[in-house]
Amino acid sequence: MIQVKIEDSWKEALAEEFEKPYFAELVHRLHEEKASGAHIYPPGSQIFRAFDLCPLPEVKVVILGQDPYHGYGQAMGLSFSVPDGVPAPPSLKNIFKEIEDDLGVKMSGRPNLEGWARQGVLLLNAVLTVRAGEPTSHAGIGWQTFTDAVIRCISEKRDGVVFMLWGNYARSKAPLIDSGKHFVLQAAHPSPLARGAFFGCRHFSQANAILRSEGREPIDWRL
């Protein structure tokens, strides 16, 4: 069995995935690339950061991204998030604008979304690593199989989770979610390439209204 450093509740829930051949091949591929001198983002200690900050029993909301940022110092293991001191990427700026318009709050502009993760927002990328400067370079090495299993795991083991699916890729994951026990919110991607179609989705107020209706603490989206 491959030893994976990940938060205990996830380690237990996903134990079968870590023992499957595809996962061993994925790990072998990453070791090979690193040995050949390739730069891989995020750093190894942050690959499972989203899980470490948001244990399975605490998941309230899932925001699904595609793959990590491929620029130096950007990827930190949380979808759409970059570390403090790094300029917010365009999609994140649009997310902040929608929050301000939706909730009538002022965002600080801080690009580090750890504060959301600690409140129960799983910031999950479908692919958890990328080669420097090569977007989607690890899209075919097995990560999607793993993260599809993560989505199924949440769907099966939890109740009343709000899934935010932005863009066609994220929407394609909707069949993995039991919509009879969870809430699936769909919208255009926040990327500027969507030409503003994301704006007005009001997912943040909707998510909090759902959480309140379920008797759960809403998310403070301000950072």
Side-chain angles (χ1 to χ4, degrees), residues 165-181:
L165 307 182
W166 300 335
N168 291 336
Y169 182 82
R171 285 168 165 171
S172 74
K173 305 297 183 179
L176 303 174
I177 304 162
D178 182 349
S179 58
K181 57 187 288 201

Side-chain angles (χ1 to χ4, degrees), residues 197-213:
F198 174 73
F199 297 130
C201 71
R202 301 186 66 81
H203 279 189
F204 304 95
S205 61
Q206 287 184 60
N208 278 352
I210 289 167
L211 292 173
R212 289 189 185 97
S213 74

Side-chain angles (χ1 to χ4, degrees), residues 10 21 25 31 45 60 81-83 142 199 207:
W10 289 108
E25 292 168 13
H31 284 316
S45 62
K60 298 177 181 177
S81 180
V82 294
F199 297 130

Side-chain angles (χ1 to χ4, degrees), residues 49-50 53 69 76-81 112-114 117 123 125:
R49 185 71 171 150
L53 292 177
Y69 297 119
M76 57 179 297
L78 306 176
S79 62
F80 295 102
S81 180
N112 185 332
L113 306 183
E114 287 185 1
L123 296 163
N125 277 319

Side-chain angles (χ1 to χ4, degrees), residues 134-181:
E134 300 180 46
T136 71
S137 51
H138 285 171
I141 69 171
W143 279 127
Q144 287 104 321
T145 303
F146 175 73
T147 54
D148 281 0
V150 171
I151 295 169
R152 289 193 195 95
C153 174
I154 297 168
S155 182
E156 292 169 7
K157 295 182 180 295
R158 298 299 319 282
D159 293 295
V161 173
V162 181
F163 289 83
M164 297 185 184
L165 307 182
W166 300 335
N168 291 336
Y169 182 82
R171 285 168 165 171
S172 74
K173 305 297 183 179
L176 303 174
I177 304 162
D178 182 349
S179 58
K181 57 187 288 201

Side-chain angles (χ1 to χ4, degrees), residues 60-76:
K60 298 177 181 177
V61 177
V62 177
I63 298 180
L64 185 65
Q66 192 159 354
D67 76 330
Y69 297 119
H70 57 273
Y72 175 78
Q74 290 184 304
M76 57 179 297

